[in-house]
């Protein structure tokens, strides 16, 4: 009996029911207060504005028989995200192109077949332990006073134009390789590595079949050609959800001729991307695939500068169709355009709100023939420029006639990663906003259009978004 009494007394003391002492309670017991976390504020991304979470009815609210446009309003909600205040410019895209150029040069400066300088590639840590080889960006390229081998490595990414005799970048070499992890497919129950966690219904047996997955991969063959494949196989590890892409990043400058038959657009082919006078104009001639490659590079570029804190950064990406429309219409159900009213110009003064084609054959009535410098016209209430006209913009959303029926009403998104062997119609992506060549109806923010993901047009560009983390301070705009 004495032994039992002792055990009870010890248990009561450990629970705090019996105590003769006063003061603070032990941190190992008492109330559940939660686990503290290190405070971290997301820096305001350069050139972006914050679109607060909100809801609206997307799609046309009224039928338009003249354009065979049915009324199809649908309520959706989206979470907060950062968005580029302007379309990505030639200047910003050039930074990407030059980074790819410099990475190739650094690789060759380290290659024994060219420069053979090991300082351009890091293969060991400070203690001499082997690590994953990566380029040393702290080592400057010897643009001046290069020795013979270094000059050969640098000159290898250029070519002499056979017609003009001018030295220029060789677009064929400017390929960017990157990998992405498909979180959506990896998170699905049917793709879990542990079969017991694929089916929660205990009335059913544990699945015994091996899930089949598809992943994209790309590599260079022995002839230096890019080979793209979609592999379908049984699930073996988390790595099966890593997709590899190799994308040529140089814009198709010939789009200015190929988009318009019997038109003299040669000056734009020669100058639009290369001449500094067009630096602040929106980049065009970029495919959906190239726009995604830019977003991936932009993410890595920022994360490297932030060091360990870079892991907290959400990736840059193309906006979903729902995000784009919510941002363009400033979250206002009555807005067909990024501004109030049904006209693309002011009624009183006749001033244009956007760069588009006001009349048949008259591109210049708004003051511009082709694209205009980004930010030329006033922003919408969210602080976003050129959400109508100038250039149409890629979204991440795949196109299908019934896309509105297939998506959730919360952060809606329809994603389809088309395999190389898929029919071409499955490779359509939604573009929004209309462009400098479109009439007023086609620059409306409540209607969708599409283009094939590998097409490069003189009237399609893009801008990036990034999901917001927490409650960072920034240009938080309200309608």
């Amino acid at each position: 009996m004495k032994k039992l009494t002792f055990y009870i007394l010890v248990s009561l003391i450990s629970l705090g029911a019996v105590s003769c002492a006063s003061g603070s309670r032990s941190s190992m017991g008492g109330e559940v207060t939660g686990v503290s976390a290190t405070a971290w504020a997301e820096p305001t991304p350069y050139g972006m504005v914050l679109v607060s979470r909100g809801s609206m009815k997307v799609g046309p609210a009224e039928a338009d028989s003249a354009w065979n446009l049915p009324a199809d309003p649908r309520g959706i909600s989206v979470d907060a995200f950062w968005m580029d205040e302007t379309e990505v410019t030639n200047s910003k895209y050039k930074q990407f192109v030059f980074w790819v150029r410099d990475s190739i040069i650094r690789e060759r400066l380290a290659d024994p077949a060219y420069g053979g300088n090991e300082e351009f590639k890091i293969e060991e840590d400070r203690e001499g332990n082997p690590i994953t080889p990566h380029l040393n960006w702290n080592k400057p390229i010897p643009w001046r006073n290069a020795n013979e081998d270094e000059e050969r490595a640098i000159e290898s990414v250029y070519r002499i134009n056979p017609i003009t005799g001018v030295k220029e970048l060789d677009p064929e070499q400017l390929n960017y390789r990157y990998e992405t992890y498909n979180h959506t497919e990896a998170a699905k129950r049917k793709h879990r590595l542990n079969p017991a966690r694929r089916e929660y219904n205990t009335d059913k047996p544990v699945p015994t079949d091996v899930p089949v997955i598809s992943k994209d991969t790309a590599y260079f063959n022995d002839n230096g050609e890019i080979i793209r494949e979609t592999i379908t196989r049984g699930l073996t590890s988390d790595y099966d959800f890593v997709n590899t892409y190799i994308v040529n990043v140089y814009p198709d400058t010939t789009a200015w001729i190929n988009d318009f038959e019997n038109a003299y657009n040669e000056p734009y082919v020669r100058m639009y991307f290369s001449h500094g006078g067009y630096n602040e104009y929106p980049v065009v001639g970029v495919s959906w695939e190239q726009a995604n490659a830019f977003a991936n590079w932009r993410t890595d570029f920022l994360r490297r500068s932030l060091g360990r804190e870079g892991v907290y950064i959400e990736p840059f990406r193309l906006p979903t169709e729902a995000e784009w429309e919510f941002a363009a219409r400033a979250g206002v159900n009555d807005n067909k355009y990024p501004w109030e009213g049904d006209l693309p110009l002011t009624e009183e003064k006749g001033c244009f709100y956007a760069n588009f084609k006001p009349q048949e054959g008259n591109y210049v009535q708004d003051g511009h023939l082709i694209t205009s410098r980004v930010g030329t016209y006033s922003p919408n209430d969210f602080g976003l420029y050129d959400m109508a006209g100038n250039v149409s913009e890629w979204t991440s959303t795949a196109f299908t006639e019934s896309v509105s029926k297939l998506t959730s009403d919360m952060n809606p998104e329809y994603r389809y990663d088309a395999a190389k062997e898929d029919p071409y119609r499955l490779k359509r992506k939604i573009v929004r906003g209309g462009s400098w060549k479109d009439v007023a109806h086609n620059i409306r923010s409540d209607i969708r259009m599409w283009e094939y993901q590998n097409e490069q047009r003189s009237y399609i560009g893009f801008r990036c978004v990034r999901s917001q983390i927490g409650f960072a301070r920034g240009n938080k705009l309200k309608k």
Side-chain angles (χ1 to χ4, degrees):
M1 179 61 98
K2 290 182 179 180
K3 195 172 188 179
L4 179 60
T5 304
F6 173 74
Y7 284 148
I8 293 175
L9 179 62
V10 171
S11 298
L12 289 172
I13 291 174
S14 66
L15 291 172
V18 178
S19 177
C20 297
S22 62
S24 61
R25 295 178 178 176
S26 168
S27 61
M28 299 302 293
E31 300 295 339
V32 175
T33 59
V35 177
S36 62
T38 303
W40 186 81
E42 182 182 21
T44 300
Y46 177 80
M48 285 185 151
V49 296
L50 181 61
V51 178
S52 302
R53 62 180 61 89
S55 64
M56 70 174 298
K57 288 189 178 295
V58 296
E62 302 173 356
D64 189 339
S65 57
W67 292 87
N68 193 27
L69 188 67
D72 187 28
R74 176 172 176 254
I76 60 98
S77 295
V78 293
D79 209 342
F81 57 94
W82 301 98
M83 190 174 211
D84 282 332
E85 61 182 354
T86 70
E87 293 144 343
V88 172
T89 61
N90 282 322
S91 176
K92 290 182 178 179
Y93 197 83
K94 281 179 186 177
Q95 187 176 354
F96 176 38
V97 171
F98 291 164
W99 185 94
V100 173
R101 175 202 65 185
D102 292 353
S103 68
I104 296 172
I105 292 175
R106 280 187 164 83
E107 192 75 46
R108 291 176 181 173
L109 285 169
D111 187 345
Y114 287 92
N117 189 338
E118 297 179 354
E119 294 183 21
F120 283 96
K121 202 164 191 179
I122 300 174
E123 300 183 354
E124 297 179 347
D125 61 17
R126 294 179 179 178
E127 285 73 36
N129 301 313
I131 58 175
T132 303
H134 60 277
L135 297 177
N136 180 10
W137 287 89
N138 293 323
K139 177 71 174 175
I141 295 174
W143 297 105
R144 297 179 180 179
N145 301 321
N147 61 37
E148 184 177 346
D149 289 336
E150 292 171 338
E151 185 174 358
R152 192 157 54 91
I154 294 171
E155 295 297 322
S156 67
V157 298
Y158 293 89
R159 70 176 186 182
I160 302 299
N161 188 302
I163 305 302
T164 64
V166 175
K167 185 175 77 171
E168 58 190 16
L169 275 174
D170 182 2
E172 296 296 323
Q173 296 189 51
L174 301 177
N175 299 308
Y176 176 69
R177 181 186 183 278
Y178 70 101
E179 295 180 340
T180 61
Y181 182 73
N182 192 334
H183 286 270
T184 300
E185 290 300 311
K188 291 180 178 178
R189 289 181 180 177
K190 66 179 182 178
H191 290 155
R192 287 175 177 170
L193 292 171
N194 183 356
R197 298 190 65 237
R198 295 179 199 150
E199 177 59 65
Y200 283 7
N201 188 342
T202 55
D203 292 337
K204 295 182 179 181
V206 174
T208 57
D209 58 319
V210 177
V212 176
I213 60 91
S214 293
K215 63 174 292 182
D216 295 328
T217 187
Y219 58 91
F220 292 100
N221 64 13
D222 293 338
N223 297 324
E225 301 169 329
I226 301 174
I227 304 299
R228 298 181 178 90
E229 295 179 348
T230 299
I231 300 172
T232 301
R233 68 184 185 201
L235 178 65
T236 58
S237 69
D238 287 334
Y239 190 77
D240 288 329
F241 301 105
V242 176
N243 297 275
T244 304
Y245 301 99
I246 300 176
V247 179
N248 185 274
V249 303
Y250 204 85
D252 182 9
T253 57
T254 67
W256 290 101
I257 289 178
N258 290 307
D259 288 342
F260 302 93
E261 292 186 3
N262 301 319
Y264 182 66
N265 288 341
E266 290 181 17
Y268 308 135
V269 174
R270 290 189 287 267
M271 295 192 299
Y272 187 81
F273 185 68
S274 62
H275 196 284
Y278 285 103
N279 265 2
E280 298 310 309
Y281 285 65
V283 66
V284 297
V286 290
S287 67
W288 181 86
E289 296 163 350
Q290 290 174 313
N292 276 287
F294 175 90
N296 178 273
W297 164 80
R298 186 175 178 180
T299 302
D300 287 345
F301 193 66
L302 176 61
R303 283 178 173 169
R304 278 193 297 270
S305 70
L306 295 175
R308 293 182 178 179
E309 288 189 342
V311 70
Y312 298 109
I313 293 295
E314 280 291 292
F316 291 99
R317 54 184 174 82
L318 293 178
T320 66
E321 180 189 25
E323 288 173 333
W324 192 98
E325 183 170 340
F326 178 80
R329 298 170 66 184
V332 179
N333 292 332
D334 295 334
N335 285 359
K336 294 181 181 179
Y337 295 96
W339 51 83
E340 294 182 9
D342 295 339
L343 296 175
L345 68 164
T346 59
E347 294 184 15
E348 302 83 11
K349 300 180 180 179
C351 296
F352 286 92
Y353 289 131
N355 177 16
F356 67 106
K357 184 169 72 169
Q359 297 176 2
E360 182 179 357
N362 188 347
Y363 293 84
V364 299
Q365 188 176 345
D366 59 2
H368 305 277
L369 178 61
I370 55 169
T371 56
S372 59
R373 293 172 66 95
V374 297
T376 296
Y377 299 88
S378 298
N380 71 356
D381 288 345
F382 279 176
L384 300 166
Y385 295 87
D386 300 316
M387 294 299 283
N390 215 15
V391 292
S392 297
E393 299 177 14
W394 290 110
T395 72
S396 61
T397 307
F399 176 82
T400 178
E401 286 76 4
S402 55
V403 64
S404 297
K405 309 290 190 299
L406 298 175
T407 52
S408 170
D409 58 0
M410 180 188 73
N411 295 324
E413 169 71 329
Y414 176 65
R415 175 176 174 176
Y416 183 77
D417 296 325
K420 181 181 178 181
E421 59 273 12
D422 275 341
Y424 199 37
R425 61 183 175 82
L426 296 181
K427 300 175 182 179
R428 294 178 291 179
K429 306 300 180 185
I430 292 173
V431 294
R432 287 299 203 115
S435 74
W436 57 271
K437 73 167 188 63
D438 289 311
V439 295
H441 174 273
N442 290 344
I443 66 169
R444 281 173 49 173
S445 305
D446 59 346
I447 60 175
R448 69 166 56 101
M449 292 167 280
W450 59 265
E451 184 54 89
Y452 294 103
Q453 65 185 44
N454 63 341
E455 276 288 2
Q456 298 159 295
R457 299 293 191 183
S458 60
Y459 47 84
I460 298 181
F462 69 101
R463 71 180 77 209
C464 294
V465 299
R466 202 176 83 195
S467 297
Q468 186 204 14
I469 303 173
F471 303 95
R473 293 181 179 179
N475 299 326
K476 191 171 184 179
L477 303 172
K478 297 180 180 180
K479 62 179 179 180

